[in-house]
Amino acid sequence: MRIALFEPDIPQNTGTILRLAACLGLEAHLIEPAGFPVSDRAFRRAGMDYLDQVALTRHPSWPDFERWRVAEGLRLVLLTTKATASYLDHRYEPHDILLFGRESAGVPDPVPRRRTRATAHPDALGPAFRSMSR
């Protein structure tokens, strides 16, 4: 299983997710452009010294990421509040990539939904919360 971040906006959130990936031994993929320089001090501070432990691959664009994913035969799982299925009910597989959208706008409609094989709604947040990152 892998984690992918689509054009993240907030360096602290990105660093935190990369730290989680390092702790869980998951590969992380950053789909650019990011809304901040990836060498930004806040990004490094949020990731702490764990960033040296995460296997991070940067993709210059969505099409580049998508070409790589298809060539690897990996399944995309979009984590979105617009999904009908709960992430708790989703059947995850070892070849999944969990895709998180950007904090300010999620993932644009035409980008992954045409190619996503599964979506999962983070319903455990409760009705008062929009997402885990904003």
Side-chain angles (χ1 to χ4, degrees), residues 3-4 14 25 33 40 52 54 56 59 73-74 76 78 81 83 92-93 118 126 133:
I3 293 176
T14 303
D40 181 77
D52 296 331
V54 69
L56 176 63
H59 302 272
L74 301 171
L76 191 64
L78 174 61
T81 57
Y92 296 95
E93 298 180 13
S133 63

Side-chain angles (χ1 to χ4, degrees), residues 49-66:
D49 57 340
Y50 293 87
L51 292 184
D52 296 331
Q53 305 301 316
V54 69
L56 176 63
T57 302
R58 293 170 55 185
H59 302 272
S61 67
W62 173 259
D64 290 315
F65 169 79
E66 191 61 1

Side-chain angles (χ1 to χ4, degrees), residues 3-9 29-35 61-63 65 78 98-103 105-108 111-112:
I3 293 176
L5 304 174
F6 179 82
E7 299 180 1
D9 292 323
H29 295 263
L30 182 66
I31 303 165
E32 298 189 58
S61 67
W62 173 259
F65 169 79
L78 174 61
L98 306 181
L99 179 65
F100 294 86
R102 60 187 326 176
E103 295 92 340
V107 178
V111 172

Side-chain angles (χ1 to χ4, degrees), residues 11-109:
Q12 295 87 344
N13 290 349
T14 303
T16 300
I17 292 171
L18 294 179
R19 188 171 68 232
L20 174 67
C23 290
L24 296 176
L26 301 176
E27 285 181 25
H29 295 263
L30 182 66
I31 303 165
E32 298 189 58
F36 56 88
V38 292
S39 60
D40 181 77
R41 189 173 20 177
F43 173 68
R44 296 289 307 171
R45 183 172 50 238
M48 300 189 306
D49 57 340
Y50 293 87
L51 292 184
D52 296 331
Q53 305 301 316
V54 69
L56 176 63
T57 302
R58 293 170 55 185
H59 302 272
S61 67
W62 173 259
D64 290 315
F65 169 79
E66 191 61 1
R67 276 191 293 279
W68 168 82
R69 183 189 70 79
V70 169
E72 294 291 318
L74 301 171
R75 184 175 78 156
L76 191 64
V77 177
L78 174 61
L79 297 174
T80 174
T81 57
K82 296 176 182 154
T84 56
S86 168
Y87 77 99
L88 298 170
D89 297 326
H90 181 72
R91 185 179 196 112
Y92 296 95
E93 298 180 13
H95 64 282
D96 285 347
I97 298 180
L98 306 181
L99 179 65
F100 294 86
R102 60 187 326 176
E103 295 92 340
S104 63
V107 178
D109 284 336

